[in-house]
Amino acid sequence: MDPDSGNPSSKTAVSFQPKRPVLSWCVKIKRKLKSVAPFLGRFRPMVGQCCHQCTPESLGLKLLCNTPPLGFQNLTCVNETHTGYRGWLVRRVCCLLFVWGREVHPSPAGNRRHRVHGSERVRQALETACSSDETKVVELVMPKVRGYLSRLLALTQTFISPSLLRIVSWMLLKFFSLMFWNVQINLNQLAALHRATRLKAPLVYVCVRQSGIDHALICLTLFCHNLRVPYTIYPAHVRQTWLRSILQRLGVVLLPEGTGSERDVEMDSLYSPVMTSFIGELLREGAALCVGITAARGHGGQWLARVHQAISDGLVPDVSIVPVGVSYDCLPRHFMRPQASVMSALRFVVSLLKGDHRGSVRIHFAQAFSLKEMCESGRCRVDGGRPLQELLLTAILNNRMGSIFNQKDVSWLLPPAVMPELPPADRQQTIALTLHLMYSSTTSMAVMSTSLVSCLLLHKHRRGVRVSVLCRDICWLLEEVLFRNTDVGFGGALVGLVHHALSLLRPYLLLAAAPPTGEPIIAPRPDPESLLTLSQHCHLLTHVFIHEAVGACAVSAMLSEVVGCGGGGDQEFDVVLGQEELTEKSLQLTHLLSPGYIPPCQNAHSFALDVVDSMVRCGVLVMEEVQKDSPACDFMKRQGVLSWAASDNPDQSSDSDCEEPDKHSYKLSQPSQCPELLFFLCSLLSVQLRALCWALESLHYLPTPITETDCLSQLHTHLKNRAQLDKAHYESSSIDLVGMALRTFIDLGVLTEDRQREDVYLDVSPLFSQCTYKEKLLQFFKQFITKREK
């Protein structure tokens, strides 16, 4: 189909030609659609309030409430009104005047190095390091230890230079104005931050790591609004001496020179005590911190433990934690590859000058809460959790559900090898805090227009959709997002929204014209890069709809059991789902979720009950009253024709099976959109579930035992080959999903760990070396994937 003439002679869709102007997208859309009212003229949800269970006193301060709406500000738009001066010359140097007029809180290093070196924690670590190897002469050990200690103490000399900070901030304003159309800031949230500074507690900003520019955006925002610029914890290797010197004068804490990865450095016996004392000294000086955490490997939690240690040691009475959510319309691909070449950097600079792919950014600062209150409230805790192997293996292999109602152990987020001096109670408290901040930072993020379009194209209209239908579904999805108290990072009319999103996603889409009207048809490109990029944009929406996605997969699993037992086919029948069975299915899938979907102050059983309620609210299920004379173990009814009753098999039944009927039973609703809605919600989690299936099927290709790094690399290769073989579902072969699958297999006991001094070796357990048990686990994963997605 020719996009312009509408000639249907060609059977394949013709992609958008780069030589044509981008406006042609807008012209095609505007010709087919009428103008509509702005989306957000009536409602904008309030996001970022702290947890009412863990921090009720902080919530009672109402830092975000009782204030008139101040609107939003584009951080990169600086004019003469921001300077206090007027005139022709001011308009040309207004950005420089604005930067030099900002208030900078000086933070000199002073004698910080001596204070850290003289701390009790560091002295004990030095004594342990020098006496750990009795076979070596002390004179030979001491120079090596002192040399490494000197490199560590050099990090404590990090400080913030006011002059250099102003120069770099001016450069960043110019740079981000080229990179993004705008950087939107909620002024009400910044006003709440100013009120939080009056509490006289140091502020610690916590965000989920996405790219290398997250911290730069956060620090620049705080600088432009006269808030204290934080010390940034950025554990990366910078080999250029001049660059390390500049970053250390901007308050960036890097890894020490000549060391390995972040994980290797954290296991060093000297690094942890020095950094703990360093963080304590910074907080005692009143400095702010900015920490990034990741759900994949638990990085960043150790820095939260060091902040908590400062309170325990009495260095500061309390610390205010501020979750931060940074959302991108279209993250520049250069910053997603930290080891990019010089040529790719030059291409990135050229694309900036040309103005290609300039998306928007929305930064949300959640309400500050007291760390001391959260730790003392006792609500945020993860102690008592059981390994995933104990929770699910009995249900998978023996169909026994008694153990699934417990909490899952996630101690791998802060393993004992990291900060071994940390008491067990403080370690569990830090893990709970890390989980809570993963959840809070993610829920504070705004859904961008590219996320809505990517989600619909990938999970609902994978084979293509007319623009008019796409716009209708965007309106529906937007209302659902706002209904779940999640903010969006855009406003305006529908036509402008669709045009903006499609322009940013144009390299990953196909455009064709539908005869005879010539209405544009949009479809995702069926290549790995395009599908992986679209899937990355959809990640936040999976968090927004996690209750409905888990519930839809649980309903699908129960329906597949019915069909597999003879109730399938094309016949129409009514299916009654018991609340207990539906809750159990939801619990099983809940335990497979990665950290960050559920706050630690909510147990898994409560989450599963909310999942069932959400299925009723979204219209997939309706509650049905069960007749008292009908046994509760009737799993399916079809007007008396097809019924599974306990009396059909009296020898295998027991009194407990039918004594107490379920309090509630649910039935599939029958509106026209119900099946499509069910498939859409199931598809949100099918990306992760399919990755688990593919990774499990590929385990027998690995030459075990194998190091964890090599296992991750080889599994990634196998998943990419599997996607190429199927020529579909490339989004399930990302490196992040491979890491998630590897972590799940270790927790389930599919892979056993052998921790040696150099590395961690993985091997397939004897139980899952048997095909029978491996097939049972595979079917357990597959039951949550609909046949449309398989």
Side-chain angles (χ1 to χ4, degrees):
M1 292 178 293
D2 189 358
D4 299 318
S5 63
N7 183 12
S9 59
S10 178
K11 294 183 179 180
T12 59
V14 181
S15 62
F16 183 82
Q17 299 297 326
K19 293 183 179 180
R20 297 188 179 275
V22 179
L23 281 178
S24 61
W25 289 66
C26 186
V27 171
K28 290 176 181 290
I29 295 171
K30 287 183 177 180
R31 288 176 180 174
K32 305 301 174 184
L33 297 175
K34 296 180 180 180
S35 181
V36 295
F39 282 121
L40 306 177
R42 292 170 293 182
F43 174 74
R44 181 177 292 278
M46 178 179 291
V47 297
Q49 292 190 354
C50 53
C51 181
H52 68 280
Q53 295 188 36
C54 303
T55 53
E57 295 182 8
S58 298
L59 182 63
L61 295 177
K62 298 182 179 180
L63 297 177
L64 282 175
C65 302
N66 299 330
T67 57
L70 302 177
F72 291 82
Q73 179 192 30
N74 182 9
L75 186 68
T76 59
C77 181
V78 179
N79 52 44
E80 59 180 321
T81 61
H82 298 95
T83 64
Y85 302 97
R86 297 294 183 271
W88 172 84
L89 183 60
V90 173
R91 285 194 292 271
R92 277 143 184 83
V93 295
C94 57
C95 187
L96 198 60
L97 291 175
F98 170 75
V99 167
W100 245 256
R102 298 297 88 190
E103 180 182 359
V104 178
H105 302 269
S107 182
N111 62 342
R112 189 190 301 147
R113 175 171 181 158
H114 299 286
R115 296 199 305 268
V116 171
H117 191 197
S119 64
E120 181 68 21
R121 182 179 285 105
V122 175
R123 285 195 289 107
Q124 290 180 358
L126 278 173
E127 294 175 1
T128 304
C130 294
S131 61
S132 59
D133 197 343
E134 299 178 356
T135 62
K136 293 185 178 181
V137 183
V138 178
E139 287 78 5
L140 297 177
V141 176
M142 283 300 295
K144 181 179 178 180
V145 174
R146 287 174 178 172
Y148 180 64
L149 179 63
S150 177
R151 295 200 303 271
L152 290 180
L153 292 176
L155 300 178
T156 65
Q157 293 297 101
T158 302
F159 67 100
I160 297 177
S161 170
S163 300
L164 183 60
L165 179 63
R166 288 190 169 96
I167 294 174
V168 174
S169 298
W170 173 78
M171 295 174 62
L172 286 177
L173 283 173
K174 296 296 184 181
F175 179 70
F176 288 145
S177 64
L178 292 174
M179 184 183 300
F180 305 111
W181 284 116
N182 52 60
V183 180
Q184 294 292 332
I185 310 297
N186 192 324
L187 295 179
N188 284 84
Q189 296 173 353
L190 289 171
L193 279 181
H194 279 283
R195 289 190 288 271
T197 57
R198 301 171 192 163
L199 301 178
K200 303 302 181 182
L203 295 178
V204 177
Y205 302 91
V206 182
C207 65
V208 176
R209 295 183 190 173
Q210 298 179 79
S211 71
I213 60 176
D214 296 339
H215 297 294
L217 285 168
I218 293 173
C219 294
L220 181 63
T221 302
L222 298 174
F223 168 80
C224 292
H225 289 85
N226 290 328
L227 288 162
R228 181 184 289 271
V229 176
Y231 283 79
T232 301
I233 309 297
Y234 191 68
H237 285 290
V238 178
R239 294 177 175 84
Q240 294 82 0
T241 306
W242 63 272
L243 185 56
R244 286 186 66 93
S245 178
I246 292 176
L247 292 177
Q248 286 188 334
R249 284 168 171 77
L250 294 173
V252 181
V253 181
L254 303 167
L255 290 177
E257 293 182 278
T259 55
S261 63
E262 178 185 6
R263 173 183 167 183
D264 298 334
V265 172
E266 286 291 348
M267 292 183 179
D268 184 78
S269 59
L270 276 180
Y271 179 80
S272 182
V274 171
M275 288 297 104
T276 303
S277 300
F278 175 44
I279 294 299
E281 290 297 331
L282 287 179
L283 294 176
R284 186 165 66 174
E285 295 171 7
L289 297 177
C290 185
V291 180
I293 56 178
T294 57
R297 304 183 66 87
H299 291 168
Q302 68 273 18
W303 297 102
L304 299 176
R306 289 167 184 138
V307 172
H308 185 232
Q309 280 290 306
I311 300 178
S312 302
D313 295 344
L315 297 178
V316 288
D318 197 3
V319 171
S320 294
I321 305 292
V322 183
V324 184
V326 184
S327 305
Y328 298 92
D329 247 346
C330 185
L331 187 64
R333 284 172 285 180
H334 176 77
F335 288 94
M336 299 300 294
R337 297 189 295 267
Q339 297 180 350
S341 62
V342 177
M343 290 302 300
S344 63
L346 291 176
R347 285 193 295 267
F348 172 69
V349 173
V350 172
S351 66
L352 284 183
L353 298 177
K354 292 171 61 178
D356 294 342
H357 316 306
R358 293 176 62 191
S360 302
V361 182
R362 173 67 65 84
I363 304 177
H364 280 173
F365 293 89
Q367 180 179 347
F369 63 86
S370 167
L371 177 58
K372 184 177 181 181
E373 180 191 1
M374 172 168 279
C375 295
E376 292 179 351
S377 66
R379 295 276 188 171
C380 183
R381 52 191 302 174
V382 293
D383 52 335
R386 298 176 62 180
L388 186 61
Q389 182 177 1
E390 296 182 15
L391 296 179
L392 287 183
L393 276 194
T394 54
I396 296 171
L397 304 181
N398 304 318
N399 200 25
R400 296 177 182 175
M401 304 297 174
S403 61
I404 64 172
F405 297 94
N406 296 287
Q407 291 295 101
K408 181 174 68 173
D409 177 53
V410 287
S411 57
W412 55 268
L413 286 173
L414 191 63
V418 177
M419 298 184 67
E421 74 278 5
L422 198 64
D426 291 347
R427 185 176 301 275
Q428 294 296 323
Q429 186 65 63
T430 302
I431 294 174
L433 176 63
T434 305
L435 286 172
H436 210 302
L437 286 172
M438 286 180 186
Y439 176 80
S440 301
S441 298
T442 305
T443 54
S444 298
M445 297 171 65
V447 175
M448 309 302 283
S449 59
T450 50
S451 299
L452 295 178
V453 175
S454 299
C455 184
L456 290 171
L457 291 177
L458 196 62
H459 298 297
K460 192 174 183 181
H461 303 296
R462 198 180 187 96
R463 297 183 179 179
V465 60
R466 295 174 182 266
V467 171
S468 58
V469 178
L470 178 64
C471 293
R472 181 198 65 193
D473 288 345
I474 286 176
C475 293
W476 161 76
L477 189 58
L478 175 63
E479 291 179 359
E480 295 294 330
V481 168
L482 294 175
F483 175 74
R484 285 157 182 79
N485 202 35
T486 301
D487 201 1
V488 293
F490 54 84
L494 178 63
V495 175
L497 164 67
V498 175
H499 170 246
H500 174 72
L502 293 180
S503 299
L504 293 175
L505 298 175
R506 185 179 57 173
Y508 318 111
L509 302 178
L510 295 172
L511 175 66
T517 60
E519 181 179 0
I521 294 180
I522 311 295
R525 287 183 179 272
D527 61 82
E529 182 183 4
S530 298
L531 295 178
L532 286 171
T533 303
L534 295 177
S535 179
Q536 183 184 3
H537 284 294
C538 300
H539 181 67
L540 182 57
L541 282 170
T542 305
H543 281 266
V544 175
F545 292 96
I546 189 59
H547 289 88
E548 292 79 5
V550 171
C553 290
V555 170
S556 176
M558 296 182 70
L559 293 179
S560 65
E561 290 181 5
V562 174
V563 173
C565 292
D570 297 330
Q571 300 177 355
E572 294 183 3
F573 53 85
D574 295 334
V575 179
V576 177
L577 308 176
Q579 183 184 25
E580 183 178 352
E581 292 86 353
L582 193 56
T583 304
E584 288 175 354
K585 286 291 183 185
S586 301
L587 260 175
Q588 294 174 20
L589 184 53
T590 299
H591 289 314
L592 291 178
L593 296 177
S594 302
Y597 285 98
I598 310 172
C601 53
Q602 182 182 22
N603 59 57
H605 188 212
S606 173
F607 178 83
L609 293 175
D610 291 344
V611 164
V612 178
D613 293 339
S614 68
M615 298 307 292
V616 178
R617 287 196 301 268
C618 70
V620 174
L621 297 179
V622 292
M623 190 178 298
E624 183 178 85
E625 295 183 2
V626 180
Q627 301 295 332
K628 292 184 179 181
D629 56 349
S630 175
C633 41
D634 283 357
F635 191 74
M636 183 179 62
K637 302 177 182 179
R638 185 180 176 266
Q639 299 176 354
V641 177
L642 184 61
S643 178
W644 293 350
S647 58
D648 294 340
N649 199 354
D651 295 334
Q652 298 180 3
S653 63
S654 62
D655 294 338
S656 61
D657 291 334
C658 299
E659 274 183 359
E660 298 181 0
D662 290 340
K663 295 181 180 180
H664 300 293
S665 293
Y666 301 92
K667 184 178 178 181
L668 272 178
S669 59
Q670 298 299 324
S672 59
Q673 293 184 353
C674 176
E676 290 298 325
L677 178 60
L678 184 67
F679 290 140
F680 169 73
L681 295 173
C682 288
S683 181
L684 293 176
L685 282 179
S686 65
V687 179
Q688 295 94 311
L689 293 169
R690 191 181 301 106
L692 286 172
C693 295
W694 288 358
L696 184 62
E697 293 172 341
S698 303
L699 284 182
H700 67 277
Y701 294 114
L702 301 179
T704 55
I706 186 174
T707 63
E708 186 175 358
T709 304
D710 292 340
C711 183
L712 184 68
S713 175
Q714 294 190 28
L715 267 184
H716 187 210
T717 302
H718 286 303
L719 262 64
K720 290 191 294 184
N721 293 337
R722 176 60 186 271
Q724 289 284 356
L725 183 65
D726 292 352
K727 296 183 179 179
H729 305 303
Y730 294 102
E731 66 275 10
S732 295
S733 61
S734 69
I735 187 65
D736 293 334
L737 291 180
V738 175
M740 178 273 299
L742 197 61
R743 183 72 256 170
T744 303
F745 292 158
I746 294 174
D747 292 344
L748 276 174
V750 179
L751 295 174
T752 58
E753 289 182 302
D754 181 17
R755 294 188 175 272
Q756 300 183 10
R757 188 171 184 180
E758 296 83 6
D759 212 330
V760 178
Y761 286 84
L762 302 177
D763 197 357
V764 180
S765 65
L767 179 65
F768 287 97
S769 297
Q770 306 176 33
C771 296
T772 303
Y773 296 108
K774 182 179 177 182
E775 183 64 25
K776 284 186 176 182
L777 181 59
L778 183 62
Q779 293 304 319
F780 174 77
F781 293 148
K782 285 186 175 181
Q783 68 174 331
F784 297 110
I785 307 177
T786 60
K787 290 185 177 180
R788 178 184 290 190
E789 296 294 331
K790 290 180 181 178

